[in-house]
Amino acid sequence: EAQVTQNPRYLITVTGKKLTVTCSQNMNHEYMSWYRQDPGLGLRQIYYSMNVEVTDKGDVPEGYKVSRKEKRNFPLILESPSPNQTSLYFCASRRLAGGLSYEQYFGPGTRLTVT
Amino acid sequence: QQPVQSPQAVILREGEDAVINCSSSKALYSVHWYRQKHGEAPVFLMILLKGGEQKGHDKISASFNEKKQQSSLYLTASQLSYSGTYFCGTEMDSSYKLIFGSGTRLLVRP
């Protein structure tokens, strides 16, 4: 089954304690990205990657890091989480093909609470 | 650059029709539409490409007006299962950067 998986699904942590949210896709997609979703603000892109070892900032990258060492994995790292990073996070992946636009698949989401 | 969706929320009776609009101030390359049920991930509905035709499946269809940089999602004879939040995502060019609107909450009542 084609899917994007994220772990953990729920996480409660304290300010300053480093954490990693994992993301993996089994569709061999080149493009992967992270979004955060907050009430009334929609889905805002944090970082994206167009291929292995190629990452770039989205619209709200401050306080986050990512890496793309393998095509299927795209972990999101919060080095020193703060309460304003409390949010619902989605990982997503897409196929890339010159000049065309393909649907984006989303993971199930990770609800993060930073106290 | 975030696209603007309207209305922000709509309540329908089962069987009624609805239109959700998505507007951009920039020229668009493509428009995506997704639906998100409460507590779940967004799910793809359809893509409209610049120069492409109106798309649709079942009783949900969409159009893309390139001159107005606007897309509309049409839900006809709404069903209870249509309830959720609808997001449009826009691409300005073939860079693959997808920017989402803030969403339209749709509630279909019996």
Side-chain angles (χ1 to χ4, degrees), chain A residues 37 45 94 99 101 104 107, chain B residues 29 32 34 36 41 91 96-97:
Chain A
Q37 185 174 34
Q45 191 178 54
R94 292 173 74 187
S101 187
Q104 187 153 266
Chain B
Y29 175 76
H32 292 219
Y34 294 79
Q36 183 180 30
E91 288 178 296
Y96 308 108
K97 182 175 173 63

Side-chain angles (χ1 to χ4, degrees), chain B residues 10-19 59 74-80 82 106-110:
Chain B
V10 59
I11 300 174
L12 298 174
R13 291 272 182 208
E14 204 172 1
E16 292 181 336
D17 302 340
V19 180
K59 295 187 175 73
Y74 306 95
L75 301 100
T76 58
S78 59
Q79 307 167 17
L80 297 177
Y82 287 3
L106 178 74
L107 175 63
V108 181
R109 290 181 170 164

Side-chain angles (χ1 to χ4, degrees), chain B residues 46-81:
Chain B
M46 63 190 75
I47 293 174
L48 297 102
L49 293 175
K50 181 179 176 180
E53 300 176 352
Q54 182 166 336
K55 296 254 187 169
H57 60 86
D58 198 13
K59 295 187 175 73
I60 300 177
S61 62
S63 63
F64 181 14
N65 186 323
E66 293 173 37
K67 287 185 179 179
K68 291 185 177 180
Q69 305 308 326
Q70 178 177 320
S71 177
S72 296
L73 186 72
Y74 306 95
L75 301 100
T76 58
S78 59
Q79 307 167 17
L80 297 177
S81 61

Side-chain angles (χ1 to χ4, degrees), chain B residues 31-50:
Chain B
V31 179
H32 292 219
W33 286 97
Y34 294 79
R35 177 171 63 207
Q36 183 180 30
K37 301 254 184 199
H38 183 69
E40 299 179 7
V43 174
F44 171 78
L45 292 175
M46 63 190 75
I47 293 174
L48 297 102
L49 293 175
K50 181 179 176 180

Side-chain angles (χ1 to χ4, degrees), chain A residues 82-96:
Chain A
S82 62
N84 64 12
Q85 292 179 297
T86 292
S87 186
L88 178 59
Y89 292 86
F90 287 102
C91 180
S93 73
R94 292 173 74 187
R95 176 187 170 191
L96 294 187

Side-chain angles (χ1 to χ4, degrees), chain A residues 98-111:
Chain A
L100 297 177
S101 187
Y102 289 92
E103 67 189 274
Q104 187 153 266
Y105 292 81
F106 286 86
T110 295
R111 186 165 292 282

Side-chain angles (χ1 to χ4, degrees), chain A residues 25 27-33 48-52 54 68 71 93-97 102:
Chain A
Q25 50 95 4
M27 294 166 279
N28 202 36
H29 286 167
E30 296 84 3
Y31 187 95
M32 296 186 74
S33 61
Y48 65 95
S49 168
M50 295 183 71
N51 215 326
V52 176
V54 180
R68 188 94 180 270
K71 197 172 185 180
S93 73
R94 292 173 74 187
R95 176 187 170 191
L96 294 187
Y102 289 92

Side-chain angles (χ1 to χ4, degrees), chain A:
Chain A
E1 179 190 356
Q3 60 182 354
V4 179
T5 57
Q6 293 177 230
N7 282 292
R9 295 288 313 278
Y10 301 90
L11 180 59
I12 301 174
T13 190
V14 295
T15 299
K17 187 177 181 181
K18 181 179 179 179
L19 66 91
T20 299
V21 184
T22 64
C23 172
S24 183
Q25 50 95 4
N26 64 359
M27 294 166 279
N28 202 36
H29 286 167
E30 296 84 3
Y31 187 95
M32 296 186 74
S33 61
W34 277 101
Y35 294 87
R36 62 177 288 173
Q37 185 174 34
D38 303 289
L41 298 178
L43 294 150
R44 294 182 293 168
Q45 191 178 54
I46 303 170
Y47 269 94
Y48 65 95
S49 168
M50 295 183 71
N51 215 326
V52 176
E53 302 292 359
V54 180
T55 63
D56 209 346
K57 296 177 181 179
D59 298 314
V60 288
E62 294 77 20
Y64 305 94
K65 284 176 60 177
V66 293
S67 68
R68 188 94 180 270
K69 295 190 172 74
E70 304 166 285
K71 197 172 185 180
R72 64 183 295 127
N73 297 324
F74 191 46
L76 179 69
I77 302 156
L78 285 73
E79 295 267 0
S80 184
S82 62
N84 64 12
Q85 292 179 297
T86 292
S87 186
L88 178 59
Y89 292 86
F90 287 102
C91 180
S93 73
R94 292 173 74 187
R95 176 187 170 191
L96 294 187
L100 297 177
S101 187
Y102 289 92
E103 67 189 274
Q104 187 153 266
Y105 292 81
F106 286 86
T110 295
R111 186 165 292 282
L112 172 66
T113 302
V114 183
T115 61

